[in-house]
């Protein structure tokens, strides 16, 4: 971001950066990895049953059947989770049990998909983008609406214009809205919808703010990596995530599409 340039000028210059790729989530990557994970788990489950069952029969003839039934039940549960999640991803909004599928996705499949994606050398950011998109879809699919005072907007500090001397992390209302970064517009959004806006200097501060305010839902802006870990940390609290812009790379002079934040808020308000 060039010093002193207006937001409009910077928008026109936005071409992405060498450190980031444009936000183009491909849910197909996630569904493919999800199916692959389910397949691997079921094959591994079979061998996990077959190999010890040879020894188990010597202890008691019924043990291989009992052990096999337990493993089959686990495999079926995993399969139902994977199929249900894929269905939720493909179907889009208003999905039955969206809330439960979000839990299965975050707690079980995401760590596994990250691991298998790493082994298959799939770009981590691509998986994160797909995950964020699916998470947002499932949060919207919950169909819940919230009062403004139960919503928290969380922004990273790197969104502030680098040479701005005003301290907005203590009190965002200190911003005078000079237009050199989006914070002024976001304060306007916060006033318009009477929703708390917090500029965080890091994950620990953000967690403390969430602990103090105890919101029912969060609208968060950050890079894919921070959003992914933030969504995991905040679970079961729902998070609608908006990926930031990074014309200068990560953590410096970042930006946000204010219209996307506005749309996210509108989705949540009753
Ligand atoms: S909009 Fe607010 S935070 Fe951003 S540079 Fe201007 S005064 Fe500073």
């Amino acid at each position: 971001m060039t010093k002193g340039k207006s937001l409009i000028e910077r928008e026109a210059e936005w071409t992405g950066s060498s450190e980031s790729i444009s936000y183009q989530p491909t849910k197909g990557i996630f569904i493919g990895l999800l199916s692959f994970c389910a397949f691997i788990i079921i094959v591994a489950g079979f061998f996990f049953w077959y190999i010890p069952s040879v020894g188990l029969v010597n202890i008691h003839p019924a043990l291989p059947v009992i052990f096999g039934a337990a493993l089959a039940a686990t495999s079926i549960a995993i399969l139902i989770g994977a199929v249900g999640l894929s269905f939720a991803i493909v179907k889009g909004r208003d999905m039955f049990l969206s809330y439960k599928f979000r839990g299965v996705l975050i707690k079980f499949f995401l760590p596994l998909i990250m691991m298998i994606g790493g082994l298959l050398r799939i770009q981590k950011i691509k998986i994160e983008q797909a995950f964020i998109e699916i998470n947002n879809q499932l949060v919207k699919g919950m169909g819940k609406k919230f009062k403004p005072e139960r919503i928290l907007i969380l922004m990273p500090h790197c969104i502030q214009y680098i040479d701005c001397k005003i301290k907005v992390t203590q009190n965002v209302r200190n911003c005078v809205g000079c237009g050199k970064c989006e914070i002024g517009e976001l304060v306007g959004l916060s006033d318009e919808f009477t929703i708390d806006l917090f500029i965080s200097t890091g994950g620990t501060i953000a967690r403390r703010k969430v602990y103090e305010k105890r919101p029912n839902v969060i609208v968060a802006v950050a890079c894919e990596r921070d959003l992914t870990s933030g969504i995991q940390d905040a679970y079961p609290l729902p998070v609608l995530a908006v990926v930031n812009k990074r014309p200068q790379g990560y953590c410096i002079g970042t930006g946000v599409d204010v219209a996307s934040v506005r749309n996210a808020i509108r989705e949540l308000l009753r």
Side-chain angles (χ1 to χ4, degrees):
M1 207 176 296
T2 315
K3 283 182 191 178
K5 290 200 173 178
S6 71
L7 267 179
I8 296 164
E9 286 169 323
R10 283 188 279 127
E11 282 286 334
E13 284 177 355
W14 162 252
T15 54
S17 75
S18 54
E19 288 172 279
S20 67
I21 58 172
S22 57
Y23 184 63
Q24 291 170 333
T26 322
K27 292 190 274 187
I29 287 181
F30 211 88
I31 296 177
L33 284 170
L34 192 64
S35 312
F36 189 60
C37 280
F39 174 73
I40 296 275
I41 289 167
I42 288 165
V43 170
F46 172 76
F47 283 108
F48 192 57
W49 165 78
Y50 180 74
I51 294 166
S53 68
V54 177
L56 285 174
V57 79
N58 293 326
I59 302 168
H60 192 284
L63 272 181
V65 178
I66 295 167
F67 188 51
L71 275 176
T74 311
S75 300
I76 288 168
I78 290 167
L79 209 59
I80 290 172
V83 170
L85 198 49
S86 303
F87 189 60
I89 294 166
V90 172
K91 188 172 180 282
R93 304 194 54 174
D94 305 324
M95 174 65 199
F96 181 60
L97 291 180
S98 268
Y99 178 76
K100 296 261 182 237
F101 283 124
R102 211 171 74 83
V104 173
L105 169 70
I106 291 169
K107 293 288 172 198
F108 185 74
F109 283 113
L110 181 64
L112 214 59
I113 285 173
M114 282 294 191
M115 197 177 73
I116 291 179
L119 292 174
L120 297 176
R121 297 192 173 277
I122 295 173
Q123 272 184 306
K124 198 173 175 192
I125 196 169
K126 282 282 175 196
I127 300 175
E128 289 166 343
Q129 288 187 347
F131 165 70
I132 289 164
E133 191 67 12
I134 292 163
N135 166 77
N136 286 353
Q137 187 179 312
L138 294 176
V139 169
K140 291 173 191 170
M142 285 162 60
K144 281 194 182 174
K145 298 292 173 191
F146 303 86
K147 290 180 180 167
E149 62 270 25
R150 303 314 312 154
I151 303 174
L152 174 65
I153 309 170
L154 268 182
M155 292 284 153
H157 184 222
C158 57
I159 195 176
Q160 186 175 20
Y161 176 56
I162 194 162
D163 285 339
C164 177
K165 301 286 182 267
I166 295 172
K167 196 162 176 63
V168 289
T169 48
Q170 296 287 333
N171 183 2
V172 77
R173 309 277 148 193
N174 290 338
C175 166
V176 295
C178 71
K180 286 186 175 157
C181 72
E182 285 98 343
I183 292 180
E185 277 185 76
L186 291 165
V187 171
L189 213 57
S190 159
D191 289 341
E192 182 184 339
F193 292 103
T194 59
I195 292 176
D196 199 3
L197 167 68
F198 185 69
I199 313 285
S200 163
T201 48
T204 309
I205 304 288
R207 269 189 286 276
R208 194 168 71 199
K209 177 68 183 176
V210 171
Y211 180 78
E212 285 168 5
K213 181 172 169 71
R214 299 193 177 278
N216 290 344
V217 66
I218 296 171
V219 175
V221 174
C223 64
E224 290 87 342
R225 184 192 54 209
D226 287 357
L227 284 174
T228 301
S229 61
I231 291 167
Q232 287 177 294
D233 285 352
Y235 182 81
L237 197 61
V239 177
L240 257 189
V242 179
V243 172
N244 62 7
K245 294 176 178 179
R246 303 182 289 270
Q248 295 186 84
Y250 286 100
C251 303
I252 188 163
T254 63
V256 65
D257 177 18
V258 178
S260 299
V261 180
R262 175 183 286 275
N263 289 341
I265 292 170
R266 283 210 172 116
E267 285 282 352
L268 299 171
L269 284 174
R270 64 174 66 195

